[in-house]
Amino acid sequence: MAVVVKNESIRIEKLELGPFGTNTYILTCPKTSMSAVVDAPGEADKILERLKGTNPKCILMTHNHMDHVGSLLELKSKLSVPVAVHSADAGNLPLEPDQNLSDGDLVSIGEIQITVLHTPGHTPGSLCFLTGSYLISGDTIFPGGPGKTWSPAAFKQIVESLTSKIFVLPDETEVYPGHGGATTLKKEKQNFDIFSSKPHDPKLCGDVVWLSS
Ligand SMILES: [Zn+2]
Ligand SMILES: [Zn+2]
C-alpha cells in the first residue's frame, strides 16, 4: 500500500493485489471523506481495510480483464455501492454492473470530479479516469508503451485513443496504470513521438514498447 497523491483536494492510494499484482486505486475526497475504488483485482479484505473511515460511493472499472475483477463480487456485496463500467466491457464481468460509463461522463466523489475517457484498444470498453492532473489509466498506457493489443486493428485503435484523448492532456499529468509504477505524460509523449517518427510493420500489435518496437 502506498499513498501516491495527497493534497488538500484529493488522496490517491495504490494497492497491488491479487495473483497478478494488479493495481487498485482508492480515491478519497479529504473534505467529505467520500471515496471511490478503481478496479478490484483481489484481496477484498485489504481494500476494505483501506476504505475504513471513508464513505465509499462506487467501484469504477477500467476494463473487464480477469486480473482486474477477482474481488469485484465480494467488494460489491460488502460495500453495496454501484459498479460502473463501459457497456462494451460489461459482458465479461462476474456481476451485472449498475451503471454504464461513456466518454465525457463526469463522476463526483464528494468534491472530486472525475472525467471518464473511453480509450478502446486494449479492450473495446477500456476507460481512463482523469481527475485534475492525475490519470488512472488501466491497461491503456504504461511507462514506455501502450497496453497489450491482440490485432493490428486493435493496436491502431489504442494509438488513436492515446493521440486523441490522452496525449492532448497537459505534460505534467501523472499517469497511474493498472500494473507497476507511475509515469508522466511528458515522458510518454516524448517516447511516442520517437515511435511515430519511424516506420513500422503494419501488422504491429502485442506488447509494443515505443522505443524498441
Ligand atoms: Zn487488461
Ligand atoms: Zn491488467
Side-chain angles (χ1 to χ4, degrees):
M1 189 281 295
V3 176
V4 291
V5 174
K6 190 176 198 292
N7 58 46
E8 66 281 358
S9 44
I10 190 168
R11 188 177 76 220
I12 304 178
E13 286 182 70
K14 175 181 117 168
L15 295 83
E16 280 190 61
L17 300 174
F20 307 96
T22 307
N23 296 331
T24 284
Y25 294 96
I26 298 174
L27 282 57
T28 307
C29 169
K31 290 176 189 139
T32 62
S33 295
M34 288 183 187
S35 61
V37 178
V38 179
D39 288 350
E43 303 176 79
D45 50 326
K46 289 190 182 164
I47 301 175
L48 293 166
E49 177 66 30
R50 299 310 308 170
L51 288 170
K52 276 188 188 157
T54 77
N55 179 8
K57 301 308 285 180
C58 60
I59 302 169
L60 304 172
M61 299 302 299
T62 61
H63 65 298
N64 63 5
H65 279 160
M66 51 100 72
D67 57 323
H68 294 250
V69 307
S71 57
L72 187 56
L73 270 178
E74 189 181 348
L75 263 193
K76 161 79 185 171
S77 76
K78 297 230 163 105
L79 295 175
S80 302
V81 296
V83 172
V85 66
H86 191 277
S87 58
D89 272 27
N92 284 332
L93 291 181
L95 49 70
E96 191 74 35
D98 306 283
Q99 196 186 340
N100 283 328
L101 294 175
S102 305
D103 191 59
D105 282 355
L106 285 177
V107 178
S108 295
I109 306 297
E111 295 181 15
I112 300 174
Q113 292 271 10
I114 301 169
T115 303
V116 175
L117 302 173
H118 180 215
T119 52
H122 178 70
T123 63
S126 278
L127 297 176
C128 293
F129 300 109
L130 177 71
T131 178
S133 57
Y134 311 110
L135 182 78
I136 311 290
S137 67
D139 287 2
T140 291
I141 180 168
F142 295 96
K148 185 171 186 170
T149 48
W150 286 267
S151 70
F155 178 69
K156 284 196 186 76
Q157 192 180 37
I158 204 168
V159 167
E160 167 65 21
S161 292
L162 289 169
T163 52
S164 64
K165 310 236 176 103
I166 303 298
F167 292 151
V168 295
L169 301 172
D171 281 356
E172 62 270 20
T173 307
E174 297 174 18
V175 179
Y176 293 93
H179 304 267
T183 184
T184 62
L185 274 190
K186 181 174 185 178
K187 256 184 237 165
E188 300 316 314
K189 289 183 204 181
Q190 286 168 349
N191 289 337
F192 178 74
D193 284 346
I194 295 169
F195 172 86
S196 40
S197 71
K198 297 175 184 165
H200 298 284
D201 183 344
K203 294 201 178 76
L204 183 64
C205 67
D207 287 310
V208 172
V209 177
W210 299 132
L211 298 186
S212 59
S213 293

